[in-house]
Amino acid sequence: MANVPSNLKYTKEHEWAKLEGDILTVGITDFAQSSLGDVVFVELPAVGKELKNGQAFGVVESIKSVSDLYSPVDGVVVESNADLPNSPETCNQSPYDNAWMIKIKLKNPADFNTLLSADEYNSFLASL
Amino acid sequence: MELLKTSLHGDHLALKAKMAPFAGFDMPIQYTSVKDEVLAVRNNVGIFDVSHMGEFFVTGPDAIKFVDHLITNDFQNAEMLKAVYSPLCRENGTIIDDLIAYKLNDKKVLICVNASNIQKDWNWISSKTQGFNIELTNRSDDYSLIAVQGPKTEEILKKLEVLDSTEFPYYSIKEAAFNGENIILARTGYTGEDGFEIFSSHAMARTLWIKLQALGAVPCGLAARDVLRLEVCYPLYGHELTDDVTPLDTGLGWTVKLTKENFISKETLTNYKAKYQLVKLSLDKGIPREGYSVLNGDKEVIGKVTSGTMSVINNKGIALALVEKAKISADKKYYIDIRNQQYEAIVHTKAFVTGGHK
């Protein structure tokens, strides 16, 4: 069973999000890393990049597959995990902590409420 | 259409393999991790269920002559019990499939073909039998096939008493008895490592699958198989080899023996000037994938990546790419377009990884 921490929010694209003030930290879920297998490449956006809800902001690749990363909200990238592209295997080892991907300054804080709760994401996983 | 299942399907499910459709079969893509499976084959021993592949037998007085006529490589002069890799071409030189033909005796040849091409190959080969005293049988449904690959293969097969101490050269074949049943052992594979492919009954395959694991062989899926073959630059039908190119376009010139007396496609290939070239490219950053555009030094698109992956051994993106020969720039530079960014590729003349086969 995939690990789905109850204190985070989720998307149907298998990303997690954590809000602190008006800064949203985003990464991929345990389910995502497990489905991908060995992650060998991560490409993240530069700080300052403006993102729209649903826009592809980066790429995560396993040996055999390529997956886009999608922004769960409108906002601006204020930090990008510079260590991650150098150690992509962190995505498999620590998806919810060390493998955080970007921090987005929310344009519209209400966007946060549209994300899935852990229970909702669990139900979504069960439906796959 | 319902997917076909190999005799080991239940064993794959029991191992919780990730399964996916391949050539009409529900096949294991990976068991644990592609990386670990690749490393098992390079350093130790891995086992693959490749029962989806096709087996045709050609028997009769003209068996060898017939196969030599069908394929571009030299089969006639191969020694008894040898295996010969070859493309199978139409009169116009284009590739129907690639195969391995095994000379079992002077009246019996086994041809092993790609699963996705069984029907296509069968239709072609059976349409070419006129004038040859042979019988052609499709035994694809009767045989299971397990590939045992890696430097420890010989050791493990001797422990199992599948192999005895007699000499068994690379790229050769033997019929043997095991547990009171006839099996066919071929020292061939698709990984670049030493290894055997074992053709057997379905029941025997299940026995072998279990026994090989008990001796430390690691089950490996089709994803690892694809990485392994790409690291050693073996072509794959549907990628490097297609209905639209000849062997001379795609790195298989060495398999076309124009000095042979006669064979299908000889006339065309004798006068053929290659339009394409297959190039081996790697990247320091980024992973090339099938379909990505390849550009020359003038940044003009000249072809496409036919297969690309992250190499487990080199930890770099590697690719085979088919490019238009006439458009290769004088500086011999190649760029690969990844998400609208062009990365300069390193050109390789040798395979990315040297396998350990004998």
Side-chain angles (χ1 to χ4, degrees):
Chain A
M1 273 302 286
N3 176 20
V4 180
S6 57
N7 61 327
L8 302 176
K9 295 279 198 174
Y10 298 89
T11 74
K12 288 187 176 179
E13 308 292 346
H14 305 288
E15 283 151 15
W16 58 263
K18 184 166 80 179
L19 189 66
E20 284 157 306
D22 60 350
I23 305 294
L24 193 72
T25 305
V26 176
I28 63 168
T29 65
D30 182 47
F31 175 85
Q33 71 76 20
S34 157
S35 305
L36 281 164
D38 305 304
V39 173
V40 292
F41 185 82
V42 178
E43 195 172 84
L44 299 175
V47 169
K49 178 153 175 98
E50 289 200 31
L51 296 173
K52 288 251 179 270
N53 190 341
Q55 184 185 341
F57 70 77
V59 164
V60 54
E61 300 193 38
S62 66
I63 292 173
K64 297 297 297 172
S65 71
V66 183
S67 302
D68 282 325
L69 299 162
Y70 298 98
S71 178
V73 293
D74 289 354
V76 178
V77 178
V78 292
E79 207 179 331
S80 180
N81 186 344
D83 294 334
L84 201 54
N86 299 321
S87 56
E89 66 280 2
T90 310
C91 296
N92 297 115
Q93 295 155 356
S94 176
Y96 294 115
D97 296 300
N98 298 338
W100 67 272
M101 291 178 168
I102 54 171
K103 293 182 196 274
I104 305 171
K105 187 173 164 54
L106 278 178
K107 201 168 170 185
N108 176 8
D111 275 0
F112 182 71
N113 299 322
T114 65
L115 300 174
L116 304 178
S117 68
D119 281 350
E120 287 165 332
Y121 181 60
N122 266 319
S123 310
F124 174 65
L125 289 181
S127 74
L128 294 180
Chain B
M1 203 178 80
E2 199 176 329
L3 289 172
L4 300 167
K5 292 171 183 167
T6 72
S7 54
L8 301 174
H9 188 265
D11 301 84
H12 305 321
L13 297 185
L15 288 167
K16 295 195 163 60
K18 275 183 195 161
M19 307 292 288
F22 184 84
F25 286 81
D26 190 34
M27 295 299 287
I29 301 304
Q30 73 174 76
Y31 296 87
T32 54
S33 123
V34 178
K35 199 171 169 180
D36 292 349
E37 292 167 26
V38 167
L39 291 172
V41 172
R42 292 276 179 245
N43 301 325
N44 195 350
V45 58
I47 44 175
F48 302 82
D49 176 14
V50 283
S51 304
H52 57 318
M53 294 192 72
E55 293 87 9
F56 302 158
F57 282 87
V58 184
T59 51
D62 291 340
I64 290 168
K65 202 170 121 191
F66 175 65
V67 173
D68 193 64
H69 177 71
L70 279 179
I71 66 177
T72 60
N73 208 343
D74 185 359
F75 194 61
Q76 188 81 45
N77 293 312
E79 282 172 47
M80 207 50 75
L81 300 177
K82 282 301 271 185
V84 172
Y85 169 81
S86 181
L88 177 71
C89 293
R90 300 179 182 81
E91 280 83 0
N92 70 3
T94 57
I95 304 172
I96 299 162
D97 198 6
D98 65 337
L99 54 80
I100 297 180
Y102 299 94
K103 212 181 246 191
L104 282 164
N105 63 46
D106 60 355
K107 292 188 187 67
K108 189 175 179 188
V109 179
L110 164 61
I111 301 177
C112 185
V113 303
N114 281 305
S116 50
N117 289 334
I118 293 174
Q119 197 55 48
K120 181 170 108 170
D121 294 353
W122 177 256
N123 292 346
W124 176 261
I125 295 173
S126 53
S127 76
K128 297 292 170 187
T129 57
Q130 208 180 7
F132 294 93
N133 187 1
I134 55 136
E135 195 181 340
L136 184 64
T137 45
N138 180 356
R139 301 285 308 277
S140 303
D141 294 343
D142 304 334
Y143 278 95
S144 279
L145 179 57
I146 295 175
V148 191
Q149 302 280 298
K152 303 257 172 76
T153 300
E154 185 176 310
E155 186 185 314
I156 204 173
L157 290 181
K158 279 184 174 162
K159 256 190 214 160
L160 249 186
E161 295 180 351
V162 169
L163 280 181
D164 57 24
S165 57
T166 54
E167 205 195 331
F168 201 136
Y170 189 63
Y171 249 69
S172 66
I173 191 161
K174 266 181 205 174
E175 290 179 276
F178 178 67
N179 276 9
E181 200 179 286
N182 288 324
I183 59 172
I184 301 176
L185 294 169
R187 199 162 198 159
T188 48
Y190 198 42
T191 63
E193 297 304 325
D194 186 23
F196 283 80
E197 292 176 295
I198 307 175
F199 300 85
S200 73
S201 72
H202 302 312
M204 179 61 79
R206 294 206 58 199
T207 305
L208 286 167
W209 186 256
I210 301 299
K211 288 193 171 193
L212 286 162
Q213 282 180 75
L215 290 172
V218 175
C220 299
L222 294 183
R225 184 170 158 87
D226 193 51
V227 173
L228 287 156
R229 69 95 191 167
L230 193 48
E231 285 184 334
V232 294
C233 295
Y234 289 176
L236 175 60
Y237 198 85
H239 298 257
E240 289 70 42
L241 317 180
T242 66
D243 287 318
D244 305 319
V245 295
T246 77
L248 304 179
D249 292 306
T250 191
L252 290 182
W254 65 275
T255 65
V256 180
K257 299 290 156 64
L258 293 172
T259 51
K260 267 190 359 178
E261 197 180 330
N262 198 18
F263 60 93
I264 296 169
S265 78
K266 181 178 177 178
E267 208 180 304
T268 317
L269 293 177
T270 302
N271 303 306
Y272 188 79
K273 258 191 95 187
K275 278 192 282 207
Y276 303 98
Q277 187 171 327
L278 192 71
V279 290
K280 306 174 182 79
L281 304 174
S282 73
L283 294 176
D284 280 332
K285 184 175 181 286
I287 307 170
R289 303 287 182 183
E290 185 182 355
Y292 286 3
S293 291
V294 176
L295 298 85
N296 63 15
D298 305 324
K299 300 285 177 87
E300 180 191 7
V301 175
I302 62 167
K304 275 188 167 25
V305 169
T306 51
S307 298
T309 190
M310 185 71 160
S311 165
V312 169
I313 297 299
N314 298 347
N315 200 30
K316 271 187 185 177
I318 57 169
L320 293 173
L322 203 61
V323 299
E324 287 179 68
K325 236 180 155 175
K327 291 187 178 171
I328 296 172
S329 50
D331 59 10
K332 299 266 167 68
K333 282 194 175 178
Y334 297 92
Y335 295 85
I336 297 175
D337 185 297
I338 304 178
R339 298 178 284 276
N340 298 320
Q341 261 204 57
Q342 289 148 11
Y343 297 84
E344 186 173 348
I346 299 152
V347 185
H348 296 248
T349 51
K350 290 190 179 139
F352 306 110
V353 170
T354 312
H357 70 68
K358 291 165 188 173

